[in-house]
Amino acid sequence: MKLIGPFKQIVTLANLPLRGKLSDDQLEIIEDGGLLIKEGKIADANNFYDLKEQYPNIEVENIEDEQVCLPAFTDSHTHICFGGNRANDFAMRNAGKTYLEIAESGGGIWSSVLHTRKASEEELLKTTLERINSVISLGITTIEIKSGYGLDVENELKMLRVIKKAQTFTKATLVPTCLSAHLKPRDFDGSSVEYLNFILNEILPKVKEENLAKRVDIFIEKSAFLPDESTEFLLKVKELGFEITVHADQFTSGSSRIAVEVGAKSADHLEATIDEDIAFLAKSETVATALPGASLGLGEKFTPARKILDAGGILAIASDWNPGSAPMGNLITQASILATFEKLSTAEVLAGITFRSAHALNLSDRGTLQKGKKADFVTFKTDNFHNILYHQGSLKAESVYINGEKM
Ligand code: NIG
Ligand code: FE
């Protein structure tokens, strides 16, 4: 056992509901807090001096300066395994070119597919690990990572193998997701439905065989896969035993409804979700995930996070870090900005990047600092937790702990 502290504040995020709005006065704040760690888990979170008295001979990891401690964050939606970059897309977009024009002049998702296909497993592993380490430095210790830039058997498996390999080099938890249904690849000889069947028959059985992912994602959108074909695909995916998540309502509405109807664990994006569908989603078990990094990257409106919470939904916030629509890769900055535009309380933002986003990945063992939870936490050199979001990401994490060990 080990005692870490004293922290000026521990924000435990304990005893908060999974769904709906939150106010900051619901937050449990332990002043002069201490964390008791046993076998990588939280044994107690309490007043540091009381804990010290209770365990007089315990090993103490002393915190010398004023620091605030929170549960480490979970980024439940990223595409950080990719080759190349899309700086040209950025320039073209800002010069007023449309999505279609960018795609036609060699940009868009397809250009990342070509770069990712060209990259060797070693190269992809190296850049993915660099991004993972950058994510960890923000205080994020659970990271979902999607395939979706391979779009054929060889390269989708290559991406998922790289993610699996990356797990052996990091203590962070990586959660792989198969996004072969990101786009119908230009070199696929057949219809969208035929491509979706190809995923079902040729890719997913191998994903299962090699235990490369337990989750499947699809991009439902006019430019990608249409509602009916997607529904049929997802129902079959479910039969194969995969969990489902959906890129929903990014530009046009309707697909969040599909996500709910097929029992998806989460519906992500939702920038274009209409009020009626917000109500439907908010009553369901499907987590609504806002991706403010994509709104910032594309200059689109934000996900209606306020409305989702007021309607009682489960709101998570994730980075969507990818080379095209969300190249920033800083969830703290993005969540802070979302809070400003959507009028979210600090409690709502912190819940959205901790236990609520962990729930989207089916992980109930983390995201709060209470007895029995995984001892993943992050500290900031400040005397008040409000400073973290107030500084919009420029107050950097001081230390990141995984299983009670400092990284
Ligand atoms: O979540 N919307 C579709 N997929 C990604 C974009 C990926 C890309 O542009 O490379 C997203 O925004
Ligand atoms: Fe995405």
Side-chain angles (χ1 to χ4, degrees):
M1 273 216 298
K2 166 171 88 172
L3 174 63
I4 310 180
F7 294 105
K8 183 80 174 109
Q9 298 175 324
I10 298 178
V11 185
T12 65
L13 298 183
N15 310 316
L16 295 172
L18 182 61
R19 55 196 321 139
K21 59 184 172 188
L22 297 170
S23 67
D24 290 349
D25 53 23
Q26 286 175 271
L27 289 171
E28 177 185 61
I29 314 285
I30 304 174
E31 307 281 342
D32 295 322
L35 287 178
L36 196 63
I37 311 294
K38 190 180 174 190
E39 289 159 7
K41 296 205 162 81
I42 309 286
D44 201 358
N46 226 314
N47 179 277
F48 175 81
Y49 302 101
D50 290 350
L51 285 171
K52 214 173 162 186
E53 215 174 279
Q54 215 176 320
Y55 302 92
N57 300 318
I58 198 166
E59 176 197 345
V60 175
E61 190 175 318
N62 224 57
I63 303 296
E64 305 287 350
D65 37 26
E66 285 193 329
Q67 294 189 31
V68 167
C69 173
L70 300 99
F73 311 126
T74 288
D75 190 344
S76 59
H77 182 139
T78 86
H79 309 244
I80 56 173
C81 179
F82 61 83
N85 75 69
R86 302 248 292 281
N88 280 337
D89 286 24
F90 170 77
M92 277 191 277
R93 206 164 37 240
N94 293 349
K97 297 274 184 276
T98 64
Y99 183 86
L100 223 68
E101 288 168 332
I102 293 171
E104 274 161 8
S105 57
I109 294 173
W110 184 243
S111 89
S112 292
V113 172
L114 294 180
H115 280 107
T116 306
R117 283 183 180 177
K118 228 185 285 159
S120 68
E121 254 185 70
E122 292 69 38
E123 283 162 358
L124 268 187
L125 179 64
K126 181 172 173 283
T127 52
T128 302
L129 277 171
E130 282 165 7
R131 293 183 197 112
I132 288 168
N133 288 331
S134 145
V135 171
I136 294 172
S137 74
L138 301 174
I140 298 165
T141 61
T142 305
I143 312 165
E144 187 260 13
I145 309 178
K146 300 174 196 297
S147 69
Y149 294 124
L151 308 190
D152 60 20
V153 177
E154 179 193 339
N155 288 289
E156 283 293 297
L157 293 180
K158 177 177 80 180
M159 289 188 74
L160 291 169
R161 286 183 192 129
V162 163
I163 298 165
K164 190 170 181 175
K165 188 86 181 273
Q167 182 63 88
T168 66
F169 289 96
T170 180
K171 292 212 159 58
T173 304
L174 307 182
V175 180
T177 303
C178 178
L179 176 58
S180 300
H182 200 182
L183 192 77
K184 188 188 85 172
R186 289 194 187 171
D187 55 357
F188 183 81
D189 189 16
S191 66
S192 299
V193 172
E194 284 166 332
Y195 178 62
L196 292 174
N197 284 331
F198 171 80
I199 297 173
L200 289 165
N201 298 326
E202 305 297 331
I203 299 184
L204 292 181
K206 297 189 176 74
V207 169
K208 215 166 186 181
E209 214 175 276
E210 283 188 48
N211 199 14
L212 294 173
K214 294 190 169 65
R215 319 170 78 242
V216 168
D217 195 350
I218 184 170
F219 183 21
I220 308 181
E221 190 54 59
K222 283 189 181 127
S223 59
F225 297 98
L226 299 176
D228 285 350
E229 63 199 26
S230 302
T231 306
E232 215 173 298
F233 170 73
L234 290 173
L235 291 173
K236 289 184 187 147
V237 163
K238 222 175 149 180
E239 269 172 36
L240 290 175
F242 289 94
E243 261 177 17
I244 293 168
T245 175
V246 180
H247 277 71
D249 297 353
Q250 185 179 13
F251 303 110
T252 50
S253 68
S255 44
S256 62
R257 210 161 250 279
I258 297 175
V260 172
E261 279 162 357
V262 301
K265 200 68 203 173
S266 77
D268 303 16
H269 272 297
L270 311 171
E271 294 88 331
T273 308
I274 57 171
D275 286 354
E276 205 184 317
D277 291 354
I278 291 174
F280 188 67
L281 176 60
K283 283 191 186 67
S284 77
E285 295 305 315
T286 300
V287 176
T289 307
L291 304 172
S295 302
L296 292 165
L298 297 176
E300 298 280 341
K301 61 183 179 184
F302 288 102
T303 301
R306 181 71 271 144
K307 284 186 178 174
I308 293 168
L309 286 164
D310 287 345
I314 312 171
L315 182 88
I317 307 168
S319 75
D320 197 20
W321 188 358
N322 74 69
S325 62
M328 182 202 291
N330 189 325
L331 177 60
I332 312 311
T333 295
Q334 295 160 2
S336 305
I337 292 172
L338 180 72
T340 305
F341 278 89
E342 282 291 306
K343 303 277 177 278
L344 306 183
S345 68
T346 294
E348 287 167 336
V349 172
L350 294 178
I353 58 176
T354 55
F355 66 94
R356 288 177 171 176
S357 53
H359 179 78
L361 301 179
N362 233 346
L363 298 169
S364 55
D365 63 339
R366 63 196 68 195
T368 64
L369 295 175
Q370 58 193 132
K371 192 174 175 203
K373 297 286 177 181
K374 194 172 188 296
D376 284 15
F377 49 94
V378 52
T379 76
F380 291 85
K381 225 186 229 185
T382 179
D383 59 355
N384 179 350
F385 69 94
H386 279 295
N387 283 327
I388 299 165
L389 298 180
Y390 164 64
H391 286 293
Q392 298 181 312
S394 65
L395 177 67
K396 303 288 180 214
E398 176 67 16
S399 306
V400 182
Y401 290 76
I402 297 179
N403 299 328
E405 298 298 330
K406 195 168 169 170
M407 292 298 102

